[in-house]
């Protein structure tokens, strides 16, 4: 079990040297960066490249997520998100999965098809995909057993509590009010059960070639 923080433009200017120096004390071993947001798959987070470059420079492994609060109404939308995440993955070779963050006013009853499409497309392109959502919404409104049952994908579950989620999870976002040296204000903190860095490198995913 180790700690991951997830960051976006809302954390503003992060001091990655200070963040790295805090690893021994707070066990931060990974950073998941918001690549962009929106159902169209077009809007890049204004701090995405800075955050990825900063984390990589100090030796912190990274993952990516795309925040999609608008309804995923077509596979073309999902494909746009896949392509943007692929562009980032080719540049930065993430050591953690690449997530679709499913929130907002979704048509939950019809989400199985776009979620399956996301996992399948990401897998076919050589990336390690995942889905993020809350235990109370995504993991109760969608039958997750029907999502790519024959493929490997990561389950990132939000539940702000001292008690872990009742559903299956690989990464658990347990608070949105974490405090970390190098980051001003609050930051999401997560517990991770898998050694994704080892898995992804061994399987040569996310454009790792050796």
């Amino acid at each position: 079990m180790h700690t991951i923080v997830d960051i976006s433009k809302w954390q503003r200017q992060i001091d990655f040297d200070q963040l790295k120096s805090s690893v021994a004390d707070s066990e931060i071993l990974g950073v998941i960066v918001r690549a962009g947001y929106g159902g169209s798959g077009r809007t890049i987070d204004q701090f995405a490249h800075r955050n990825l470059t900063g984390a990589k420079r100090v030796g912190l492994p990274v993952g990516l997520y795309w925040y999609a609060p608008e309804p995923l109404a077509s596979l073309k939308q999902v494909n746009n998100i896949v392509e943007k995440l692929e562009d980032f993955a080719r540049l930065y070779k993430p050591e953690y999965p690449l997530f679709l963050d499913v929130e907002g006013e979704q048509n939950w009853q019809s989400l199985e098809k776009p979620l399956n499409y996301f996992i399948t497309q990401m897998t076919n392109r050589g990336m390690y995909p995942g889905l993020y959502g809350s235990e109370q919404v995504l993991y109760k409104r969608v039958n997750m057993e029907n999502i790519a049952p024959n493929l490997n994908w990561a389950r990132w579950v939000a539940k702000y509590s001292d008690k872990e989620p009742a559903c299956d999870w690989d990464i658990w976002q347990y608070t949105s009010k974490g405090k970390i040296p190098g980051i001003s204000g609050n930051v999401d903190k997560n517990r991770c059960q898998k050694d994704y860095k080892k898995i992804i490198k061994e399987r040569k995913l996310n454009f790792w070639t050796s």
Side-chain angles (χ1 to χ4, degrees):
M1 191 83 70
H2 61 273
T3 300
I4 295 173
V5 295
D6 57 275
I7 58 175
S8 69
K9 70 176 184 179
W10 302 113
Q11 279 69 49
R12 309 304 295 175
Q13 301 278 348
I14 294 173
D15 185 335
F16 284 97
D17 292 293
Q18 188 177 12
L19 184 63
K20 173 66 173 180
S21 69
S22 70
V23 167
D25 295 327
S26 60
E27 297 183 352
I28 302 170
L29 297 181
V31 179
I32 301 181
V33 176
R34 186 172 76 166
Y37 54 93
S40 67
R42 300 184 191 281
T43 307
I44 303 299
D45 186 294
Q46 67 190 77
F47 278 76
H49 289 290
R50 182 187 188 279
N51 285 334
L52 288 160
T53 301
K56 284 283 191 173
R57 177 180 60 80
V58 300
L60 288 172
V62 302
L64 295 164
Y65 75 96
W66 191 279
Y67 174 50
E70 295 94 352
L72 295 169
S74 72
L75 298 186
K76 182 178 179 180
Q77 284 179 293
V78 179
N79 198 63
N80 288 339
I81 293 170
V82 169
E83 289 179 350
K84 285 293 189 297
L85 287 173
E86 182 178 12
D87 289 343
F88 274 94
R90 287 183 182 277
L91 280 174
Y92 295 103
K93 297 182 181 178
E95 297 92 342
Y96 283 93
L98 294 84
F99 293 91
L100 179 61
D101 175 352
V102 184
E103 300 182 52
E105 300 299 321
Q106 300 289 342
N107 185 350
W108 301 100
Q109 289 71 35
S110 62
L111 263 185
E112 284 188 13
K113 186 174 182 179
L115 296 186
N116 271 299
Y117 183 79
F118 175 79
I119 299 296
T120 301
Q121 287 296 307
M122 293 288 286
T123 301
N124 289 344
R125 295 175 184 226
M127 291 174 282
Y128 199 123
L131 298 175
Y132 167 95
S134 75
E135 180 190 49
Q136 291 299 316
V137 182
L138 176 63
Y139 285 82
K140 287 193 175 176
R141 295 186 181 181
V142 176
N143 185 351
M144 302 307 280
E145 292 184 0
N146 292 337
I147 307 302
N150 298 318
L151 299 176
N152 293 314
W153 58 276
R155 292 157 176 80
W156 183 10
V157 182
K159 180 185 181 181
Y160 299 154
S161 171
D162 292 331
K163 295 182 178 180
E164 67 180 60
C167 59
D168 290 340
W169 62 275
D170 302 303
I171 301 174
W172 165 27
Q173 187 183 79
Y174 64 92
T175 183
S176 62
K177 297 180 179 179
K179 302 294 185 183
I180 301 292
I183 299 178
S184 300
N186 295 331
V187 66
D188 298 336
K189 295 180 72 175
N190 309 264
R191 295 190 176 108
C192 181
Q193 300 192 94
K194 290 186 177 180
D195 188 350
Y196 282 112
K197 184 175 180 179
K198 180 180 179 181
I199 293 169
I200 286 171
K201 286 188 174 182
E202 285 183 349
R203 297 180 186 175
K204 299 182 180 179
L205 301 172
N206 296 354
F207 304 102
W208 282 95
T209 58
S210 61

